[in-house]
Amino acid sequence: MQIVKDHGPITGESIAEKLNLTRATLRPDLAILTMAGYLEARPRVGYFYTGKTGSQLLADKIKKIKVEDYQSIPVVVNENVSVYDAIVTMFLEDVGTLFVVDDESLLAGVLSRKDLLRASIGKQELTTIPVNIIMTRMPNIAVCYKDDPLIDVAERLIEKQIDAMPVVRKTEKGYEVIGRITKTNMTKAFVALAKDDLL
């Protein structure tokens, strides 16, 4: 790399000559440095140093990850189901957030654990209260799209202090829920990066 920094752009043959190696011997090393992003190669020009540090290369890699790469299957309930049924669904599905849809299967609201806990404190009959009474409604719901960069969604989750966000598809009538992004999805992406499973 130092040779490329000092003499770039420089051909593979010239690098091999300076190291007293054959071009064939050097080819795998140059390929790795190029794939990792430290060097760039241009036909008939040669190799040159990109100037990027390891952390800059990691940041570039992170910015390329999209929501669709890590989204999960959404857990939805109809806006007319009871608070009791929503609590049961949340436990059976082992999620922290439920997405509430209307009769046309469009996003109408979001239910968090806190919403359900708040509703269950007191002497209300939970089987008779519909979730649309206690849910957070549109337009107060943060949503994301499958093509959004995952890092942008992570920032919004932190900023809004929420655990999950619906991945939606915009239709003429409203938002159709097609997935969910949670803090767990973010953790999976982080672990995959550490294991270098992400390209």
Side-chain angles (χ1 to χ4, degrees):
M1 253 181 24
Q2 194 59 50
I3 291 171
V4 178
K5 274 186 192 178
D6 295 341
H7 304 284
I10 184 171
T11 64
E13 288 77 18
S14 298
I15 298 169
E17 198 176 293
K18 288 183 181 299
L19 294 170
N20 292 323
L21 297 169
T22 65
R23 172 77 174 91
T25 305
L26 203 56
R27 188 172 288 124
D29 298 292
L30 290 171
I32 289 168
L33 290 171
T34 304
M35 283 190 297
Y38 291 104
L39 300 181
E40 228 172 272
R42 294 219 178 108
R44 294 185 296 279
V45 175
Y47 294 91
F48 61 94
Y49 181 62
T50 62
K52 291 184 177 178
T53 64
S55 58
Q56 286 171 319
L57 292 169
L58 179 61
D60 287 349
K61 197 182 264 195
I62 289 170
K63 288 174 186 170
K64 289 179 185 165
I65 305 169
K66 300 288 184 199
V67 163
E68 67 183 337
D69 300 328
Y70 281 91
Q71 71 184 41
S72 304
I73 295 167
V75 180
V76 299
V77 293
N78 186 277
E79 63 186 344
N80 297 315
V81 305
S82 70
V83 170
Y84 177 83
D85 288 338
I87 291 170
V88 171
T89 301
M90 187 174 276
F91 277 100
L92 289 176
E93 296 290 341
D94 193 23
V95 294
T97 306
L98 297 174
F99 303 119
V100 184
V101 294
D102 61 18
D103 291 331
E104 295 184 349
S105 296
L106 298 173
L107 181 64
V110 171
L111 281 171
S112 69
R113 282 182 287 231
K114 287 178 189 171
D115 295 327
L116 294 173
L117 180 61
R118 197 172 19 252
S120 63
I121 295 172
K123 298 192 175 159
Q124 301 97 315
E125 182 51 55
L126 300 181
T127 55
T128 61
I129 303 170
V131 293
N132 63 16
I133 302 286
I134 65 163
M135 69 185 186
T136 301
R137 298 177 172 279
M138 291 298 282
N140 300 320
I141 301 170
V143 300
C144 63
Y145 301 92
K146 66 176 188 168
D147 295 329
D148 287 348
L150 195 63
I151 189 69
D152 292 353
V153 176
E155 286 176 348
R156 287 188 10 235
L157 287 177
I158 293 166
E159 174 194 322
K160 296 193 175 290
Q161 297 181 1
I162 53 178
D163 294 329
M165 202 180 292
V167 182
V168 297
R169 179 186 301 125
K170 197 166 189 169
T171 68
E172 288 178 14
K173 294 182 178 180
Y175 294 113
E176 178 187 348
V177 181
I178 60 169
R180 69 185 159 106
I181 279 290
T182 66
K183 290 178 179 177
T184 302
N185 299 118
M186 301 297 174
T187 306
K188 285 179 182 173
F190 183 67
V191 170
L193 269 173
K195 290 183 174 178
D196 205 25
D197 290 342
L198 293 175
L199 297 174

